[in-house]
Amino acid sequence: MGCLASTPAKKDSEHSDSRCIQVRQSSERAPSEEPEHADAKNVECPGTLDTTPAKLEPMHADAPDVKSADKPGTLSAATAKVEPMHAEAEDLKCPEKLGTLNFAVNPRSFDDSEDCEVLKEAISSGNARICKVTGYTYGDGLYFSGLQLTYEVGGEHQIEGPRYVTNEKWPKPLELAKGETITEVGAQHGEITDQLWMKTSTGRKVEWGGVGGSEEIWKMPEGYDLMGFRGDQGPWRGGRSIMNQLGPIFVKKGTATQKTAQVLKSDLAAWVEMKNKKLGPPGKPPAPTNPDSEHQGDRAVLLALIKACGTPCHGEGPTKVPLEGWGTATRIGLWEGVIVDNVGRVKELYMERANLTGTLPDELGALDGLEELWCPMNDFTGGLTSALTKCKKLRTLNIHGNYKLEGFIPIDLLNKPGLICYVHNTNLISSMVSIEVPAFPFYVAYRRAILDMPRLLPHEEALEAGEIITQMHPEHTFTKWFGGVHRDEIAFMTHRWLHPKGLHPDDELGSKLDHIKEILENNPHIKYVWMDYLCVPQAQRYALKQQAAINSLPHYIKSCQHVYILVGEESEAHYSVYSGRGWCRLERICACVTVKGQNPEGHMYDELDYKVPTKLFLANKTTHSVKELSTTDVLEHSEFDPMEGSFFDETDRVKIAPCVDLLGKACQQDDDNPELQTIGTKLRESAAKYRDDTIFDQPAPSVT
């Protein structure tokens, strides 16, 4: 599923100021290490929600035994407050629950730290252990929906724990051998808890659910054992019964007990019976708003969808199971994943990982009441139908993971106020220009790959070779965390191509590559590098993807904490020559623009009032020197306007005009720097002379 984050959506500057749109177009997960690390965990970061996040209660400072998570996560906006850790229980560690209750209806809450003396005594004394974990999922294994622990008492008796299960589809057990224990618990979470995973002392790892949002990892505290969990369950959008919030509970080892195994077994059984009775039976999704009312036109649209893309179903091959009701005479309000309003119009459609193929039909545009369209991780082909622009109420379009979708996203969709699009892991191209969100994926090269590289490779060859470049996930708040990567681990290389219309940016000796290697060797903290030749499509057949990457330059640069200007003493490599080039000026002024995010040393839910630094360095390959430049150093020579710089191809002015306009607007909004505000006005006036948005009207090339 797509993930909504606590970050308020920022207004994009290319089109109407009144809209609040975020387009996700990036990898499903972000790398945390270079490829040689086999255990590197990739994490998907969240998207954007255009509301203000609720404040969370602080953790209790007087609870030294409480273990907080090592990594920041993301909580959806407008959520209920997350419970603080249990400061009063010195023998328990109860990290805060993850996820939100945004879409829960009458949630079932559970907490193994309540009324748990017998469970604490059994686990702490070593007379009982968790011997089995059964996880449950929904949506063909896409969403984590519940779990049940089985306890072994006295080495032989087994007691099934409380049933924290909302449905019994797709169960998967983790059975622990004698002496095998759970050592690590992790969760991927966005609006909900999308995935739960556990590692054991033997190195095994079992996952329940699909990829979620931010990741939280709980390693077993020294001297503690996993005792149980606490959380909240309830229906989610489309009537999906899933886990909304979840958190582990750890109990301190070493408490003696006088009870026999038989007594502990009896006491645990009574405790489980009490918990199940208190919990009640698994809840059912809310009934359709008006199941007896149906709009015949909307039924025709859904039948057209079946004809074009197949009947939505879960599973694979002979085990595929159609979503309940689809294609039958049953009222469409009773079809699984279809939500209708009080007059029977389709309001929400949920077809996640539903084995759909083909091209989305134009008939979808007739769904006048459609607000939510969720169909990620299918196998759609072709382009995104422009008929969706007719769905006037549409507020969420989630089509991520459809790798064969290609072409430009219809401009009217991008201009639609309040619409949030999730299009990552597709070949769709956006004409958006945004600091927060890239229109083309943010590729970077691994440090080791560059150090081992004999000559710079074009993007296409680097991508095909594998383990040279990878995608970073967009981090809208530009915090210390960039998925699992710090901003100070990413460096941006800005340089002047040596030859007009040259096919390669370096000379035959590879001096530019050697210069980059020298910078890396002197800065071991840099793990990833952005350079245009490696990270942007170079072939002419990808001209529109190049334009999308140009639109993304502000995002690329502000996502890197270090920007290096590569120069030398010889004439063509001199800084004065660099400063005269329009492309070079564009990248340099990007580094000077201020963006705000969360304080990287603060709490993960702090306000977005921290000025995110970007360090700009002048790196001279001839003198082997590196000098840090200030904004004043850049602007004092009055050579800052990219539109007034020189270009090998004069049509490039049109290509960069949207970016320059965006940067001008960002400069105008810098209340702390009047000089930069003045420069912003000049940049916007200059960009207006060349801006021509018809460059986005061409059809996208086929993806090979």
Side-chain angles (χ1 to χ4, degrees):
M1 61 160 285
C3 301
L4 306 184
S6 59
T7 311
K10 299 181 182 179
K11 294 178 181 177
D12 192 273
S13 61
E14 185 187 358
H15 303 292
S16 168
D17 286 346
S18 64
R19 69 188 177 87
C20 185
I21 305 173
Q22 298 294 345
V23 175
R24 296 278 305 279
Q25 188 165 358
S26 69
S27 63
E28 185 76 15
R29 295 183 175 189
S32 59
E33 293 292 344
E34 298 188 21
E36 58 264 28
H37 294 263
D39 59 348
K41 179 68 178 175
N42 294 335
V43 182
E44 182 190 14
C45 290
T48 308
L49 186 65
D50 57 346
T51 50
T52 304
K55 281 283 189 179
L56 301 183
E57 296 180 6
M59 295 185 292
H60 291 223
D62 58 345
D65 60 313
V66 174
K67 180 179 178 63
S68 61
D70 295 325
K71 293 185 178 181
T74 305
L75 192 63
S76 178
T79 179
K81 290 184 178 180
V82 173
E83 297 179 12
M85 298 185 183
H86 293 200
E88 71 280 3
E90 294 184 359
D91 54 350
L92 294 181
K93 290 181 183 289
C94 303
E96 63 186 26
K97 295 182 288 186
L98 302 179
T100 81
L101 293 178
N102 268 11
F103 305 103
V105 179
N106 299 321
R108 303 165 75 232
S109 296
F110 61 92
D111 191 341
D112 284 335
S113 68
E114 295 178 348
D115 306 316
C116 61
E117 290 306 316
V118 62
L119 181 60
K120 284 168 49 180
E121 183 179 8
I123 299 292
S124 178
S125 65
N127 285 277
R129 71 181 187 101
I130 296 174
C131 64
K132 180 180 178 181
V133 180
T134 303
Y136 294 84
T137 57
Y138 187 83
D140 197 13
L142 199 57
Y143 310 125
F144 171 61
S145 64
L147 79 164
Q148 183 178 30
L149 303 179
T150 301
Y151 299 95
E152 182 183 86
V153 184
E156 53 179 319
H157 307 294
Q158 290 194 359
I159 297 291
E160 290 187 345
R163 290 176 53 79
Y164 305 137
V165 180
T166 55
N167 69 76
E168 296 180 341
K169 292 186 178 181
W170 297 287
K172 182 165 63 173
L174 166 61
E175 298 191 17
L176 301 173
K178 295 289 185 182
E180 186 179 20
T181 60
I182 296 169
T183 58
E184 203 167 322
V185 178
Q188 298 271 349
H189 63 101
E191 284 188 313
I192 59 176
T193 303
D194 301 89
Q195 182 190 74
L196 175 72
W197 58 262
M198 296 185 189
K199 284 185 179 179
T200 75
S201 54
T202 63
R204 290 197 298 152
K205 180 179 180 181
V206 175
E207 300 174 346
W208 297 277
V211 177
S214 297
E215 181 174 64
E216 198 87 16
I217 299 175
W218 298 283
K219 294 185 178 180
M220 193 66 61
E222 185 176 354
Y224 284 77
D225 271 332
L226 178 65
M227 184 181 84
F229 288 86
R230 60 198 187 104
D232 301 277
Q233 300 168 296
W236 179 68
R237 287 174 170 169
R240 271 52 171 158
S241 295
I242 44 71
M243 187 72 67
N244 287 270
Q245 294 184 317
L246 184 74
I249 299 170
F250 306 107
V251 63
K252 185 179 292 186
K253 299 178 183 178
T255 301
T257 180
Q258 301 299 318
K259 294 181 180 179
T260 64
Q262 190 63 40
V263 172
L264 283 173
K265 175 187 174 184
S266 177
D267 288 351
L268 273 177
W271 174 78
V272 171
E273 182 179 3
M274 179 271 295
K275 294 290 285 187
N276 281 332
K277 184 176 181 180
K278 180 179 179 181
L279 189 66
K284 294 183 178 180
T289 306
N290 192 350
D292 296 327
S293 180
E294 178 179 297
H295 189 276
Q296 290 301 311
D298 285 4
R299 169 180 280 273
V301 171
L302 298 187
L303 293 177
L305 178 63
I306 292 174
K307 183 177 180 180
C309 303
T311 301
C313 54
H314 289 151
E316 297 180 358
T319 63
K320 287 196 295 188
V321 179
L323 270 63
E324 185 176 350
W326 277 78
T328 70
T330 307
R331 298 283 186 186
I332 60 174
L334 296 175
W335 292 10
E336 185 177 351
V338 179
I339 305 298
V340 298
D341 61 19
N342 57 3
V343 293
R345 298 302 303 265
V346 174
K347 182 179 180 181
E348 303 173 19
L349 269 180
Y350 299 93
M351 301 172 290
E352 309 94 332
R353 195 184 282 173
N355 292 279
L356 298 176
T357 60
T359 303
L360 286 167
D362 292 340
E363 285 86 347
L364 287 172
L367 296 177
D368 293 340
L370 186 64
E371 298 179 5
E372 303 281 337
L373 178 56
W374 291 64
C375 46
M377 304 178 74
N378 285 291
D379 198 27
F380 296 126
T381 56
L384 186 60
T385 174
S386 60
L388 288 172
T389 60
K390 299 177 182 178
C391 300
K392 298 179 180 179
K393 296 183 179 180
L394 188 63
R395 63 189 184 192
T396 305
L397 174 62
N398 187 337
I399 51 174
H400 83 264
N402 286 280
Y403 292 90
K404 297 177 184 177
L405 280 176
E406 59 181 336
F408 267 125
I409 300 170
I411 193 68
D412 288 343
L413 275 181
L414 296 178
N415 282 328
K416 187 173 177 57
L419 177 65
I420 301 175
C421 299
Y422 297 90
V423 297
H424 50 292
N425 282 349
T426 71
N427 278 300
L428 291 168
I429 301 173
S430 169
S431 59
M432 291 182 67
V433 184
S434 169
I435 292 180
E436 289 81 14
V437 186
F440 182 79
F442 181 24
Y443 284 96
V444 290
Y446 292 108
R447 170 192 178 90
R448 175 50 53 193
I450 289 184
L451 291 175
D452 293 342
M453 192 178 292
R455 185 163 175 78
L456 287 169
L457 295 175
H459 174 76
E460 292 82 354
E461 291 184 24
L463 194 61
E464 184 177 356
E467 297 192 348
I468 293 179
I469 60 176
T470 186
Q471 288 188 35
M472 287 291 175
H473 194 87
E475 173 54 67
H476 299 267
T477 55
F478 301 104
T479 61
K480 172 181 176 181
W481 292 98
F482 191 85
V485 179
H486 293 191
R487 286 182 67 250
D488 61 7
E489 295 174 336
I490 313 172
F492 185 101
M493 302 294 168
T494 173
H495 63 103
R496 178 186 181 275
W497 283 51
L498 299 181
H499 305 288
K501 298 183 182 295
L503 297 178
H504 200 283
D506 207 351
D507 57 28
E508 294 182 357
L509 298 176
S511 58
K512 191 166 291 185
L513 175 59
D514 289 341
H515 193 191
I516 296 174
K517 290 181 178 180
E518 179 181 309
I519 292 172
L520 293 180
E521 288 167 351
N522 292 331
N523 295 274
H525 63 282
I526 297 176
K527 296 181 179 179
Y528 304 94
V529 170
W530 189 96
M531 184 187 184
D532 52 5
Y533 194 61
L534 279 166
C535 301
V536 174
Q538 299 298 310
Q540 183 58 37
R541 66 181 182 275
Y542 295 131
L544 298 185
K545 288 190 175 183
Q546 291 176 8
Q547 182 62 57
I550 293 169
N551 293 350
S552 305
L553 275 173
H555 175 84
Y556 299 159
I557 292 174
K558 299 314 294 185
S559 297
C560 305
Q561 187 159 319
H562 312 284
V563 175
Y564 287 89
I565 300 174
L566 306 181
V567 298
E569 290 300 308
E570 60 271 29
S571 59
E572 290 302 311
H574 198 271
Y575 183 48
S576 61
V577 179
Y578 169 95
S579 298
R581 293 276 290 132
W583 284 107
C584 298
R585 290 183 180 187
L586 174 64
E587 294 171 350
R588 188 176 60 180
I589 196 69
C590 279
C592 296
V593 171
T594 299
V595 295
K596 291 185 178 181
Q598 294 166 327
N599 186 340
E601 304 304 328
H603 193 272
M604 61 185 175
Y605 303 118
D606 285 345
E607 297 294 335
L608 306 180
D609 56 2
Y610 176 79
K611 286 192 175 182
V612 178
T614 300
K615 295 183 178 180
L616 182 63
F617 298 95
L618 186 65
N620 192 309
K621 66 180 180 181
T622 307
T623 62
H624 304 284
S625 62
V626 176
K627 173 188 175 183
E628 185 170 356
L629 299 178
S630 66
T631 301
T632 302
D633 293 330
V634 172
L635 302 178
E636 66 182 0
H637 301 295
S638 300
E639 295 180 338
F640 57 83
D641 188 351
M643 307 305 294
E644 295 181 358
S646 62
F647 293 88
F648 293 147
D649 186 343
E650 287 299 314
T651 63
D652 286 350
R653 298 184 198 277
V654 177
K655 296 178 182 178
I656 70 169
C659 256
V660 174
D661 182 69
L662 171 69
L663 294 171
K665 180 173 287 188
C667 290
Q668 287 177 327
Q669 295 172 349
D670 192 333
D671 297 332
D672 298 331
N673 193 331
E675 181 183 6
L676 209 56
Q677 289 179 328
T678 302
I679 288 173
T681 300
K682 178 174 175 53
L683 288 176
R684 298 200 70 190
E685 291 173 351
S686 184
K689 298 176 184 177
Y690 295 94
R691 182 155 184 169
D692 180 6
D693 286 346
T694 60
I695 59 176
F696 304 123
D697 292 341
Q698 309 169 59
S702 297
V703 177
T704 58

